[in-house]
Amino acid sequence: MRRQKCIIRVCLAGMVSALLLLSFDNLNAQSKDAAPVDQVNVFLGSSGDHGQLSPAASYPFSMLSIVPQTDPWIHTGYEFYAKEFLGFAHSVFEGVGCEGSGANLLIKPFLGVDPMDCHLMKTGEAASPGFYSVAFKDGIKAAFTVSQKEGVHAYQFPDKSGDKNGVALNKRGLYFDLSHTRSNRFAAEEHRTDGTSISGWIEAGTTCSVGRYKIYYFIRLSQPVDWEELGHHKLVARLKDNTQKLMVRIGWSSTSAQYAKASISHESFDNIRRQTAAIWNKALSRIWVSTRKFSNQKVDSIQRARRSLFYSLLYRVIQSPYMISEKDGHFRNTKGEEEVSSMGRYNGWSVWDNYRTQLPLLSLAYGNRYQGMVTSLVGLYKKGKKDYATKNEPSNTVRTEHTDIVLLDAYHKGYQVDFASIIDSIKKEVDGLDFSHPDKALESSYDNWALGQIYKIMGDKNNSKIYTEKALGYKTVWQKEFADLSKSDIDRMGARGMYQGTVWQYRWLVPYDMQGMTQLIGSPEKLEDELDRFFDGNYYSQANEPDIAAPSLYNTTAHPSKAQALMHRYAVDTVTQFYFNGNSRGINPIIGPVYQNKPRAFLPTMDDDGGAMSGWFVFAGIGLFPALVGEPVYYLHVPLFEDLTINVSRASRSDKDPEKSKTFHIHVNNFAPDNCYIQKLMLNGRELKQNYLTDQQLRAGGTLVIYSSDKPADNRPIKKWISAIQN
């Protein structure tokens, strides 16, 4: 396998000129050197089918965001290269497929009498975490910022009068479309206007047309308005003639309109923006990448670009799941019932997509929140969990297959999981799993393995044995469907009824029993030969989830260096990719880096899927990758940076601030951008003769020194971690 030179293509955040910074916002230029929040390019992945991301003003793990809507209207409702804007909506689920999710309650500023006669044509925009602004050809300017459950719209209308092309320029107002949502899945709404406010609720379909969610809101306008109902869930707030500035505050809640109203503060736009930027910076800084300047200008440029790309993708990782509980602990469950919890409750799941990457990353670096997420997942089983969504979701959400694996993983990493209260629900779910297609059989066997492990934890030896043996049933399917690589359809997308993948890509989906799969193939040497054929032949696809853990499988062979090279290669180097959703090997390949810091960032049809693909890059960046979700083990490779620190604290607050003291530091000795091979490892001053770390070792804190090289070092004796199903 050839090792190729790293190629980085950089796109500066806020690509369109800073001349758009709005005068009423008092925006001041700031240094863009060190703070993680200033490294984020929120326009990454915001064009076409290259990530399904948006530059929405957002807040970490918040269901409230303010997202611009453009024409044409694609996944998030926003297209970077579009000129005409439809308005500004709320709460988009970033990066998901099935034509997107969310984007509720559209607000459009307009000049004239008829809002449909006003066409908002973009002349430029600027954005950063928690902030978005845009200016239009007709002189209207708009800026937005958010906090946890409050959003602020700031509109500036031009100082114009008279008539132009039939539009009375002194007339202005806001157009509200309460039925606006992604993919026309609006269900119902109720609202009432009262002076300068409007409040109510909106019900809409979740992602992929399964289930519904209900959101409550309260909106207050800063200027007197006359309300005019247009019918079909649309209305207009007409301002006094020649009004130039208007502030709109919106409170958002999944519990009630009263809670939404209580979310509205009296903080200024600038204060909220600064506070939110600080919160984003704190959240992003839980993985701190060194800002050391390199004397070699080329190396320094590469590392600056990597750092910006890293934080732009980490920013996507921590958008969801959403905190749905109120400050006093009230929230609604997936039956629509109101409950009270002593810890933060979350919703907005895409587990099938991100259980391999995003959720394990949150368990590692966001332990201050992850217990609440774990408890929230347990709550799904208690209230009638479904694979996709219920009819009473408290937020837009996607899917929750493999949640039992996530809970097993959390338990083994020291989080509290009340298995006894949900074991019957997990059993019912696993007993009903689909084995009708080869891919489903392998996935369902993974869940059976997890349930067997859960019963083992509970001391139920009989059921543990039953489900472990069911998991071993994968061998029959694997030998029938995946062993023979001479069949003509093995490189065909969707062959044999499989979901968004090929036989080549799904055959590696046995992370729970690599020892057993190696025996089926014949030997460790044959396993390595077949992995070589897979990667050298460019059968691997980074565009979707089925095989994204495959590079790490080399860690079970005689040459872990191949895993180290592949993690580096698919993160920052030039690669050849043939496979995209719905397409097989016959199309022209994409040749170049997968991850790029620009609007067309990912591969075609490569959804970020709730931080799944961004999470893969972050793991590549920090030198760790989950060996098996369900076990507390991480394989090691060389990070993309010389020096980084992970905050592994699980305390949310303390007078002694344990978040600062509980850290794991990784330093790369002999660092160079292309040095991707491990020569030696030192953990807390002692040589580490293994190719993995346990979660316990990471949580203990300390320092790992990785001695890197541009040459493999597989001749050193090391202990390897290889998964195996044991009765």
Short mmCIF file of all heavy atoms in Angstrom, two decimals, residues 282 285-288 363-368 413-415 644-654 656-666 684 694-703:
data_model
loop_
_atom_site.label_atom_id
_atom_site.label_comp_id
_atom_site.label_asym_id
_atom_site.label_seq_id
_atom_site.Cartn_x
_atom_site.Cartn_y
_atom_site.Cartn_z
N LYS A 282 -15.61 26.96 25.29
CA LYS A 282 -15.40 26.04 26.40
C LYS A 282 -15.68 24.60 25.97
O LYS A 282 -14.93 23.67 26.30
CB LYS A 282 -16.30 26.41 27.58
CG LYS A 282 -16.10 25.54 28.81
CD LYS A 282 -16.98 26.01 29.96
CE LYS A 282 -16.78 25.15 31.20
NZ LYS A 282 -17.65 25.57 32.33
N SER A 285 -12.99 23.37 23.60
CA SER A 285 -11.70 23.26 24.28
C SER A 285 -11.57 22.00 25.12
O SER A 285 -10.49 21.73 25.66
CB SER A 285 -11.47 24.49 25.18
OG SER A 285 -11.37 25.66 24.41
N ARG A 286 -12.62 21.21 25.23
CA ARG A 286 -12.48 19.94 25.95
C ARG A 286 -11.51 19.01 25.21
O ARG A 286 -10.99 18.06 25.80
CB ARG A 286 -13.85 19.29 26.16
CG ARG A 286 -14.69 20.02 27.21
CD ARG A 286 -15.96 19.25 27.54
NE ARG A 286 -15.68 18.05 28.31
CZ ARG A 286 -15.66 17.98 29.64
NH1 ARG A 286 -15.86 19.08 30.36
NH2 ARG A 286 -15.43 16.83 30.24
N ILE A 287 -11.28 19.29 23.94
CA ILE A 287 -10.14 18.67 23.25
C ILE A 287 -9.27 19.84 22.77
O ILE A 287 -9.63 20.53 21.82
CB ILE A 287 -10.58 17.80 22.06
CG1 ILE A 287 -11.54 16.70 22.52
CG2 ILE A 287 -9.35 17.16 21.41
CD1 ILE A 287 -12.04 15.81 21.41
N TRP A 288 -8.18 20.07 23.46
CA TRP A 288 -7.33 21.22 23.17
C TRP A 288 -6.16 20.79 22.29
O TRP A 288 -5.36 19.93 22.65
CB TRP A 288 -6.79 21.84 24.45
CG TRP A 288 -5.86 22.98 24.16
CD1 TRP A 288 -4.50 22.95 24.15
CD2 TRP A 288 -6.23 24.31 23.78
NE1 TRP A 288 -3.98 24.18 23.82
CE2 TRP A 288 -5.02 25.04 23.58
CE3 TRP A 288 -7.43 24.97 23.61
CZ2 TRP A 288 -5.01 26.37 23.20
CZ3 TRP A 288 -7.42 26.29 23.23
CH2 TRP A 288 -6.23 26.98 23.04
N SER A 363 -18.74 10.15 24.97
CA SER A 363 -18.49 9.45 26.23
C SER A 363 -17.08 9.71 26.73
O SER A 363 -16.83 9.73 27.94
CB SER A 363 -18.72 7.95 26.06
OG SER A 363 -17.64 7.33 25.37
N LEU A 364 -16.14 9.93 25.81
CA LEU A 364 -14.75 10.16 26.18
C LEU A 364 -14.50 11.60 26.62
O LEU A 364 -13.92 11.84 27.69
CB LEU A 364 -13.84 9.81 25.00
CG LEU A 364 -12.35 10.14 25.15
CD1 LEU A 364 -11.73 9.32 26.26
CD2 LEU A 364 -11.62 9.92 23.83
N ALA A 365 -14.91 12.56 25.79
CA ALA A 365 -14.52 13.95 26.01
C ALA A 365 -15.62 14.83 26.57
O ALA A 365 -15.35 15.97 26.95
CB ALA A 365 -14.02 14.55 24.69
N TYR A 366 -16.84 14.33 26.63
CA TYR A 366 -17.96 15.13 27.14
C TYR A 366 -18.69 14.36 28.24
O TYR A 366 -19.91 14.31 28.30
CB TYR A 366 -18.90 15.53 25.99
CG TYR A 366 -18.20 16.48 25.04
CD1 TYR A 366 -17.42 16.00 24.00
CD2 TYR A 366 -18.25 17.86 25.25
CE1 TYR A 366 -16.72 16.86 23.16
CE2 TYR A 366 -17.56 18.73 24.42
CZ TYR A 366 -16.80 18.22 23.38
OH TYR A 366 -16.10 19.09 22.57
N GLY A 367 -17.86 13.78 29.12
CA GLY A 367 -18.42 13.02 30.24
C GLY A 367 -19.23 13.86 31.19
O GLY A 367 -20.04 13.33 31.96
N ASN A 368 -19.06 15.18 31.16
CA ASN A 368 -19.86 16.06 32.01
C ASN A 368 -21.32 16.07 31.57
O ASN A 368 -22.20 16.46 32.34
CB ASN A 368 -19.30 17.49 31.98
CG ASN A 368 -19.24 18.07 30.57
OD1 ASN A 368 -19.02 17.35 29.60
ND2 ASN A 368 -19.42 19.38 30.45
N LYS A 413 -17.72 1.73 30.46
CA LYS A 413 -16.89 2.92 30.64
C LYS A 413 -17.23 3.67 31.93
O LYS A 413 -16.82 4.81 32.12
CB LYS A 413 -17.04 3.84 29.43
CG LYS A 413 -16.44 3.24 28.16
CD LYS A 413 -16.69 4.08 26.93
CE LYS A 413 -16.06 3.44 25.70
NZ LYS A 413 -16.39 4.17 24.45
N GLY A 414 -17.98 3.00 32.81
CA GLY A 414 -18.20 3.55 34.14
C GLY A 414 -19.43 4.41 34.32
O GLY A 414 -19.64 4.96 35.41
N TYR A 415 -20.28 4.51 33.31
CA TYR A 415 -21.52 5.27 33.46
C TYR A 415 -22.60 4.39 34.09
O TYR A 415 -22.58 3.16 33.95
CB TYR A 415 -22.00 5.80 32.10
CG TYR A 415 -21.09 6.87 31.53
CD1 TYR A 415 -20.10 6.53 30.61
CD2 TYR A 415 -21.20 8.19 31.94
CE1 TYR A 415 -19.25 7.50 30.09
CE2 TYR A 415 -20.35 9.17 31.43
CZ TYR A 415 -19.38 8.81 30.51
OH TYR A 415 -18.54 9.78 30.01
N LEU A 644 -1.85 17.50 22.13
CA LEU A 644 -3.27 17.73 22.40
C LEU A 644 -3.61 17.23 23.79
O LEU A 644 -2.92 16.37 24.35
CB LEU A 644 -4.15 17.06 21.34
CG LEU A 644 -4.10 15.55 21.21
CD1 LEU A 644 -5.25 14.89 22.00
CD2 LEU A 644 -4.18 15.11 19.76
N THR A 645 -4.68 17.76 24.33
CA THR A 645 -5.13 17.39 25.67
C THR A 645 -6.64 17.15 25.64
O THR A 645 -7.39 17.99 25.14
CB THR A 645 -4.80 18.48 26.70
OG1 THR A 645 -3.39 18.70 26.71
CG2 THR A 645 -5.25 18.06 28.09
N ILE A 646 -7.08 16.02 26.19
CA ILE A 646 -8.49 15.67 26.24
C ILE A 646 -8.98 15.82 27.68
O ILE A 646 -8.38 15.30 28.62
CB ILE A 646 -8.73 14.22 25.78
CG1 ILE A 646 -8.14 14.00 24.39
CG2 ILE A 646 -10.22 13.89 25.79
CD1 ILE A 646 -8.10 12.54 23.97
N ASN A 647 -10.05 16.56 27.85
CA ASN A 647 -10.68 16.70 29.16
C ASN A 647 -11.53 15.47 29.42
O ASN A 647 -12.58 15.29 28.78
CB ASN A 647 -11.53 17.97 29.19
CG ASN A 647 -12.07 18.28 30.58
OD1 ASN A 647 -12.22 17.40 31.41
ND2 ASN A 647 -12.36 19.55 30.81
N VAL A 648 -11.09 14.60 30.31
CA VAL A 648 -11.81 13.35 30.57
C VAL A 648 -12.64 13.41 31.84
O VAL A 648 -13.18 12.40 32.29
CB VAL A 648 -10.83 12.16 30.64
CG1 VAL A 648 -10.18 11.93 29.28
CG2 VAL A 648 -9.76 12.39 31.71
N SER A 649 -12.78 14.61 32.42
CA SER A 649 -13.57 14.75 33.63
C SER A 649 -15.04 14.50 33.33
O SER A 649 -15.56 14.84 32.28
CB SER A 649 -13.41 16.15 34.20
OG SER A 649 -14.32 16.36 35.25
N ARG A 650 -15.73 13.94 34.31
CA ARG A 650 -17.17 13.70 34.17
C ARG A 650 -18.00 14.59 35.09
O ARG A 650 -19.22 14.49 35.11
CB ARG A 650 -17.48 12.23 34.44
CG ARG A 650 -16.83 11.35 33.39
CD ARG A 650 -17.19 9.90 33.52
NE ARG A 650 -16.58 9.14 32.42
CZ ARG A 650 -16.69 7.84 32.26
NH1 ARG A 650 -17.37 7.13 33.14
NH2 ARG A 650 -16.11 7.25 31.24
N ALA A 651 -17.33 15.42 35.85
CA ALA A 651 -18.05 16.34 36.73
C ALA A 651 -18.47 17.55 35.92
O ALA A 651 -17.73 18.08 35.11
CB ALA A 651 -17.16 16.78 37.89
N SER A 652 -19.71 18.01 36.14
CA SER A 652 -20.21 19.18 35.41
C SER A 652 -19.81 20.47 36.08
O SER A 652 -19.63 21.50 35.45
CB SER A 652 -21.73 19.12 35.28
OG SER A 652 -22.34 19.05 36.57
N ARG A 653 -19.65 20.43 37.40
CA ARG A 653 -19.22 21.65 38.10
C ARG A 653 -18.68 21.27 39.48
O ARG A 653 -19.07 20.29 40.08
CB ARG A 653 -20.38 22.63 38.25
CG ARG A 653 -21.58 22.09 39.01
CD ARG A 653 -22.67 23.14 39.11
NE ARG A 653 -23.21 23.43 37.82
CZ ARG A 653 -24.23 22.75 37.29
NH1 ARG A 653 -24.77 21.75 37.96
NH2 ARG A 653 -24.71 23.05 36.12
N SER A 654 -17.77 22.08 39.97
CA SER A 654 -17.19 21.86 41.29
C SER A 654 -16.40 23.09 41.69
O SER A 654 -15.85 23.80 40.85
CB SER A 654 -16.27 20.64 41.29
OG SER A 654 -15.54 20.57 42.50
N LYS A 656 -13.64 23.10 43.04
CA LYS A 656 -12.24 22.83 42.71
C LYS A 656 -12.03 22.65 41.21
O LYS A 656 -10.92 22.41 40.77
CB LYS A 656 -11.77 21.57 43.46
CG LYS A 656 -11.76 21.75 44.98
CD LYS A 656 -11.25 20.49 45.65
CE LYS A 656 -11.23 20.67 47.17
NZ LYS A 656 -10.73 19.45 47.86
N ASP A 657 -13.10 22.75 40.45
CA ASP A 657 -13.04 22.66 38.99
C ASP A 657 -12.24 21.45 38.52
O ASP A 657 -11.17 21.56 37.94
CB ASP A 657 -12.43 23.93 38.39
CG ASP A 657 -12.73 24.03 36.89
OD1 ASP A 657 -13.48 23.20 36.37
OD2 ASP A 657 -12.19 24.94 36.25
N PRO A 658 -12.79 20.23 38.75
CA PRO A 658 -12.06 19.02 38.32
C PRO A 658 -11.93 18.92 36.83
O PRO A 658 -11.12 18.15 36.33
CB PRO A 658 -12.94 17.89 38.87
CG PRO A 658 -14.31 18.49 38.95
CD PRO A 658 -14.09 19.93 39.33
N GLU A 659 -12.72 19.70 36.08
CA GLU A 659 -12.61 19.64 34.62
C GLU A 659 -11.20 20.02 34.16
O GLU A 659 -10.73 19.55 33.13
CB GLU A 659 -13.64 20.56 33.97
CG GLU A 659 -15.06 20.08 34.15
CD GLU A 659 -16.03 20.88 33.31
OE1 GLU A 659 -15.59 21.61 32.43
OE2 GLU A 659 -17.23 20.75 33.56
N LYS A 660 -10.55 20.89 34.91
CA LYS A 660 -9.21 21.31 34.51
C LYS A 660 -8.14 20.32 34.96
O LYS A 660 -7.09 20.23 34.36
CB LYS A 660 -8.92 22.70 35.07
CG LYS A 660 -9.73 23.81 34.41
CD LYS A 660 -9.32 25.17 34.93
CE LYS A 660 -10.08 26.29 34.23
NZ LYS A 660 -9.71 27.63 34.73
N SER A 661 -8.42 19.58 36.03
CA SER A 661 -7.40 18.69 36.58
C SER A 661 -7.47 17.28 36.01
O SER A 661 -6.49 16.55 36.07
CB SER A 661 -7.54 18.62 38.11
OG SER A 661 -8.82 18.12 38.47
N LYS A 662 -8.62 16.89 35.45
CA LYS A 662 -8.79 15.53 34.95
C LYS A 662 -8.58 15.54 33.44
O LYS A 662 -9.51 15.71 32.65
CB LYS A 662 -10.19 15.03 35.28
CG LYS A 662 -10.31 13.52 35.26
CD LYS A 662 -9.60 12.88 36.45
CE LYS A 662 -9.98 11.42 36.56
NZ LYS A 662 -9.29 10.76 37.68
N THR A 663 -7.33 15.38 33.02
CA THR A 663 -7.02 15.47 31.60
C THR A 663 -6.09 14.34 31.18
O THR A 663 -5.36 13.77 32.00
CB THR A 663 -6.35 16.81 31.25
OG1 THR A 663 -5.14 16.95 32.01
CG2 THR A 663 -7.27 17.97 31.54
N PHE A 664 -6.14 14.04 29.88
CA PHE A 664 -5.21 13.08 29.29
C PHE A 664 -4.48 13.79 28.17
O PHE A 664 -5.09 14.31 27.24
CB PHE A 664 -5.96 11.86 28.76
CG PHE A 664 -5.04 10.73 28.37
CD1 PHE A 664 -4.59 9.83 29.31
CD2 PHE A 664 -4.61 10.58 27.05
CE1 PHE A 664 -3.73 8.80 28.97
CE2 PHE A 664 -3.76 9.56 26.69
CZ PHE A 664 -3.31 8.66 27.65
N HIS A 665 -3.15 13.80 28.30
CA HIS A 665 -2.31 14.56 27.39
C HIS A 665 -1.62 13.61 26.42
O HIS A 665 -1.07 12.58 26.84
CB HIS A 665 -1.27 15.34 28.21
CG HIS A 665 -0.31 16.13 27.39
ND1 HIS A 665 1.00 16.32 27.76
CD2 HIS A 665 -0.45 16.79 26.21
CE1 HIS A 665 1.62 17.05 26.85
NE2 HIS A 665 0.75 17.34 25.90
N ILE A 666 -1.64 13.92 25.14
CA ILE A 666 -0.96 13.11 24.12
C ILE A 666 0.07 13.99 23.42
O ILE A 666 -0.26 15.05 22.89
CB ILE A 666 -1.95 12.53 23.10
CG1 ILE A 666 -2.99 11.65 23.79
CG2 ILE A 666 -1.20 11.73 22.03
CD1 ILE A 666 -4.06 11.12 22.87
N ASN A 684 2.86 7.65 30.91
CA ASN A 684 3.26 8.13 32.24
C ASN A 684 4.69 7.69 32.60
O ASN A 684 4.97 7.24 33.71
CB ASN A 684 2.27 7.67 33.31
CG ASN A 684 0.89 8.23 33.09
OD1 ASN A 684 0.73 9.36 32.60
ND2 ASN A 684 -0.14 7.46 33.42
N THR A 694 -7.09 1.34 27.35
CA THR A 694 -8.43 1.11 27.89
C THR A 694 -9.03 2.45 28.32
O THR A 694 -8.31 3.43 28.56
CB THR A 694 -8.40 0.17 29.09
OG1 THR A 694 -7.69 0.81 30.17
CG2 THR A 694 -7.72 -1.14 28.72
N ASP A 695 -10.32 2.47 28.42
CA ASP A 695 -10.99 3.68 28.89
C ASP A 695 -10.53 4.02 30.30
O ASP A 695 -10.40 5.20 30.64
CB ASP A 695 -12.51 3.48 28.85
CG ASP A 695 -13.27 4.75 29.17
OD1 ASP A 695 -13.32 5.64 28.30
OD2 ASP A 695 -13.80 4.85 30.29
N GLN A 696 -10.28 3.01 31.10
CA GLN A 696 -9.81 3.25 32.46
C GLN A 696 -8.46 3.96 32.47
O GLN A 696 -8.22 4.86 33.28
CB GLN A 696 -9.72 1.93 33.23
CG GLN A 696 -9.40 2.09 34.71
CD GLN A 696 -9.44 0.76 35.45
OE1 GLN A 696 -9.43 -0.30 34.83
NE2 GLN A 696 -9.49 0.82 36.76
N GLN A 697 -7.57 3.57 31.57
CA GLN A 697 -6.28 4.24 31.48
C GLN A 697 -6.44 5.70 31.06
O GLN A 697 -5.75 6.58 31.59
CB GLN A 697 -5.39 3.51 30.47
CG GLN A 697 -4.85 2.17 30.96
CD GLN A 697 -4.12 1.41 29.88
OE1 GLN A 697 -4.63 1.24 28.78
NE2 GLN A 697 -2.91 0.94 30.19
N LEU A 698 -7.33 5.96 30.15
CA LEU A 698 -7.58 7.33 29.72
C LEU A 698 -8.18 8.16 30.85
O LEU A 698 -7.76 9.30 31.10
CB LEU A 698 -8.51 7.34 28.51
CG LEU A 698 -7.91 6.88 27.18
CD1 LEU A 698 -9.00 6.58 26.17
CD2 LEU A 698 -6.98 7.95 26.63
N ARG A 699 -9.16 7.60 31.54
CA ARG A 699 -9.84 8.35 32.60
C ARG A 699 -8.95 8.61 33.80
O ARG A 699 -9.20 9.53 34.58
CB ARG A 699 -11.10 7.61 33.05
CG ARG A 699 -12.27 7.79 32.10
CD ARG A 699 -13.56 7.31 32.72
NE ARG A 699 -13.63 5.87 32.81
CZ ARG A 699 -14.05 5.20 33.87
NH1 ARG A 699 -14.40 5.85 34.97
NH2 ARG A 699 -14.12 3.89 33.87
N ALA A 700 -7.91 7.80 33.95
CA ALA A 700 -6.98 8.01 35.06
C ALA A 700 -6.16 9.27 34.86
O ALA A 700 -5.55 9.80 35.79
CB ALA A 700 -6.06 6.80 35.21
N GLY A 701 -6.14 9.77 33.62
CA GLY A 701 -5.34 10.94 33.32
C GLY A 701 -3.88 10.58 33.12
O GLY A 701 -3.46 9.44 33.28
N GLY A 702 -3.11 11.57 32.73
CA GLY A 702 -1.69 11.33 32.53
C GLY A 702 -1.23 11.75 31.15
O GLY A 702 -1.90 12.54 30.47
N THR A 703 -0.09 11.20 30.73
CA THR A 703 0.52 11.60 29.46
C THR A 703 0.94 10.38 28.66
O THR A 703 1.61 9.47 29.18
CB THR A 703 1.75 12.49 29.71
OG1 THR A 703 1.33 13.69 30.38
CG2 THR A 703 2.41 12.86 28.39
#
